[in-house]
Amino acid sequence: MASQKIGQLIDNLGVEADLEDGDMVTDALVLTKVIKADGTVTLASARSEALDWITRLGMLTAAQAIENSGYTDSPTDDD
């Protein structure tokens, strides 16, 4: 299996992030669902080159918590 850049693949899926002017993205961890030519469904992951294992684990753990609870660090209008 050959490695390939996935930026355009992610763009074609319509993935967007809510970023403010001046925000700087420093690392990325991408999980993808892949359907193989034979119909097998797998998960694949990719990461930015400088992402170390401990930050990767922290990002994955935080993502799971966010997905499970709807966590947000942005204040709401009710605050």
Side-chain angles (χ1 to χ4, degrees), residues 24-79:
M24 180 174 54
V25 176
T26 61
D27 293 299
L29 174 62
V30 180
L31 297 175
T32 58
K33 175 184 171 184
V34 179
I35 301 174
K36 303 282 192 175
D38 67 1
T40 305
V41 178
T42 65
L43 290 178
S45 66
R47 62 181 177 89
S48 51
E49 188 175 334
L51 187 61
D52 61 88
W53 73 269
I54 199 159
T55 303
R56 185 169 65 238
L57 179 59
M59 289 172 69
L60 187 56
T61 303
Q64 183 177 7
I66 291 166
E67 287 299 314
N68 289 341
S69 69
Y71 169 83
T72 178
D73 66 353
S74 299
T76 64
D77 291 338
D78 297 335
D79 289 345

